[in-house]
Amino acid sequence: MVSEHAEHETEPGSGPETETEPGPGSAAASTAQVLVASNRGPVSYALAEDGTLDAKRGGGGLVSGLSAVDDKLWVCAALGDGDREAVRRGVGEAGVRMLDIDAEVHADAYNGIANSVLWFVHHLLYQTPVEPVFDAEFRRQWASYETYNRAFAEALAEEAGPGASVLVQDYHLALVPGMLRELRPDLTIGHFSHTPWAPVDYYRLLPDDIAEQLLRGILGADRAAFLTRRWADAFIGCCTEILGGTGRTRIGVHGLGADADFLRRRSREADVDERMAALREQVGEGRKTIVRVDRTELSKNIVRGLHAYRALLDAHPEWRERVVHIAFAYPSRQDLAVYRDYTAAVQALATEINGAYGSDSWTPVVLHVKDDFARSLAAYRLADVALVNPIRDGMNLVAKEVPVVSDHGCALVLSREAGAYEELGEDAIVVNPYDVVGTAEALHEALTMSADERSGRTKRLAEAATALPPQQWFLDQLEALRQG
């Protein structure tokens, strides 16, 4: 989801110490009955020049989903200097415990392992002739990943009341269920994967012991859940091949949907109308729009999408001066060089297309790289065509959000490698994300679709997209976990 915020046990002597003192809002007497653990929490803190701390609430599917439960504790990591200072000052809010994990340990675990190894494996992103290289530096970072996961397991064990339900989120915390099971066998533990799961042959790029450790970590849960049946089956396949099965762990599927009520209400507010007026001026009168809204994440396939748009202009020159590609590519993980390079490649290609095809009265690509939620919603409303072409995506909520708020109906060009394909594929124009020519033809088909057909498809897409809104998505998981 394009959210309204900026963007994810140490044994004595074995590594940096981890802060585990209860913070504000924690249940010091171990009474919490519903606990959630994730790398990023629902609130973040910025340290101002005068030393004051400013709190900012986050957004997204998990935040929305958890609003359905009143009595809960959210355990998360302090992600920056402001968060760490808040913990040290005892600043916080009820229902949130933020862990001040050593900054270097967190950097190793988050950037070194979670985002540079596990994300790459599950999204099939490696250039295998030259990477990955699992050397001594990888092993050092892996030790930090273990330390980071153990900090969460110990905090959850400390905070959870007898027989509590704990829902652990995502690839950052894959080891937590197994560690927590050892510390608190009385708990009911779930793990949810928000990413795809790699097929077994690709998963086995990981060192054998690490591949097994990750699987056993998740299988420490009573229930492991995924966004689609495809990802669940891939996980089962890895467990079967490497471990001989999934043991006692039950496997579930919960396809996170769009929050229709919030989106429709928010998309009609004044700041969105202002952004729409500005975008209309940039597009020009009477032109159609192809819209994409993404983070500059490698898996989102923005560069090939731009190549496909250029191929459209070459193969169908009748669209020149008649269509504009509105591309929002919000910078992501810019502390990693490969992501900075990718963002630069997106900007360079957009500039190249505008230079080759543009005129005084027509800018073929309108590219924005500054995150602006209201502008994203404005683009959703204006879109004649939505382009969602990831190489691989756990779900992709943009594909679900656009049909919900579209003013006049929108044709969806959707990669078959997005998790959303399982629910939306029937009414989308489906593409192979690597096929630039095929994607260009899909864009042409979408642009020439009749108004009646586009309207009918949009209605069905919106219905499918909102079938399991965030609050119900979370409650369904909690109920399934408790049922045993």
Side-chain angles (χ1 to χ4, degrees), residues 334-370:
Q334 295 298 291
D335 46 353
L336 297 177
V338 66
Y339 285 86
R340 293 195 298 273
D341 293 345
Y342 190 73
T343 301
V346 168
Q347 292 173 304
L349 184 52
T351 299
E352 183 181 317
I353 292 170
N354 285 337
Y357 299 90
S359 66
D360 290 342
S361 61
W362 175 53
T363 303
V365 180
V366 172
L367 176 68
H368 287 286
V369 296
K370 184 178 179 181

Side-chain angles (χ1 to χ4, degrees), residues 135-474:
D135 54 11
E137 174 63 8
F138 164 77
R139 292 289 176 169
R140 186 193 67 77
Q141 292 179 326
W142 180 258
S144 292
Y145 183 79
E146 292 174 315
T147 298
Y148 171 74
N149 274 251
R150 184 161 294 280
F152 272 85
E154 290 179 343
L156 291 164
E158 177 184 301
E159 299 284 2
S165 299
V166 181
L167 293 102
V168 181
Q169 306 297 312
D170 230 356
Y171 59 103
H172 314 92
L173 303 177
L175 303 181
V176 168
M179 293 174 170
L180 183 56
R181 175 68 62 211
E182 292 181 3
L183 295 170
R184 290 288 304 273
D186 63 302
L187 300 179
T188 303
I189 304 169
H191 185 276
F192 193 91
S193 293
H194 295 262
T195 65
W197 193 271
V200 63
D201 287 348
Y202 204 91
Y203 182 77
R204 298 204 78 162
L205 288 175
L206 291 167
D208 291 352
D209 61 318
I210 301 299
E212 181 174 336
Q213 189 178 352
L214 286 163
L215 294 176
R216 291 195 186 281
I218 292 177
L219 293 179
D222 296 280
R223 192 171 187 271
F226 300 84
L227 286 165
T228 73
R229 173 49 55 187
R230 181 183 180 186
W231 312 142
D233 287 346
F235 176 76
I236 293 169
C238 288
C239 291
T240 301
E241 178 77 15
I242 296 170
L243 303 177
T246 57
R248 297 181 179 179
T249 302
R250 292 172 287 122
I251 308 299
V253 174
H254 302 274
L256 174 62
D259 188 343
D261 291 341
F262 165 74
L263 288 167
R264 287 173 178 142
R265 181 180 68 251
R266 182 67 182 87
S267 66
R268 295 306 188 270
E269 292 182 4
D271 59 341
V272 177
D273 289 334
E274 291 171 6
R275 305 301 196 282
M276 286 184 70
L279 284 174
R280 282 197 182 100
E281 187 173 345
Q282 288 181 295
V283 169
E285 191 67 31
R287 293 187 175 118
K288 292 200 171 187
T289 58
I290 299 170
V291 168
R292 77 171 307 134
V293 178
D294 284 305
R295 292 174 292 108
T296 49
E297 160 57 53
L298 307 181
S299 63
K300 298 299 184 183
N301 209 23
I302 302 169
V303 168
R304 282 195 193 89
L306 287 167
H307 280 304
Y309 178 63
R310 179 162 63 183
L312 169 74
L313 298 179
D314 283 338
H316 298 279
E318 67 270 22
W319 287 115
R320 298 182 190 183
E321 299 275 357
R322 294 181 54 218
V323 66
V324 171
H325 185 15
I326 300 174
F328 296 163
Y330 300 141
S332 173
R333 299 173 183 168
Q334 295 298 291
D335 46 353
L336 297 177
V338 66
Y339 285 86
R340 293 195 298 273
D341 293 345
Y342 190 73
T343 301
V346 168
Q347 292 173 304
L349 184 52
T351 299
E352 183 181 317
I353 292 170
N354 285 337
Y357 299 90
S359 66
D360 290 342
S361 61
W362 175 53
T363 303
V365 180
V366 172
L367 176 68
H368 287 286
V369 296
K370 184 178 179 181
D371 197 347
D372 185 330
F373 184 64
R375 188 173 58 209
S376 298
L377 290 174
Y380 287 179
R381 289 179 58 185
L382 284 174
D384 294 295
V385 178
L387 175 59
V388 181
N389 68 318
I391 294 168
R392 195 168 170 87
D393 216 333
M395 177 55 68
N396 195 296
L397 281 179
V398 171
K400 293 188 169 186
E401 292 169 348
V402 178
V404 172
V405 300
S406 171
D407 277 2
H408 304 295
C410 177
L412 174 63
V413 175
L414 179 65
S415 166
R416 67 190 185 196
E417 299 302 317
Y421 164 72
E422 284 195 12
E423 298 163 85
L424 307 183
E426 188 173 336
D427 286 295
I429 301 171
V430 178
V431 296
N432 172 347
Y434 300 96
D435 184 353
V436 169
V437 171
T439 302
E441 289 306 311
L443 291 173
H444 177 66
E445 179 184 346
L447 288 167
T448 55
M449 185 180 292
S450 71
D452 286 345
E453 182 178 357
R454 191 173 66 179
S455 177
R457 288 194 187 211
T458 302
K459 181 179 179 180
R460 293 189 296 273
L461 286 167
E463 289 173 353
T466 57
L468 193 62
Q471 291 193 359
Q472 193 59 49
W473 169 81
F474 184 79

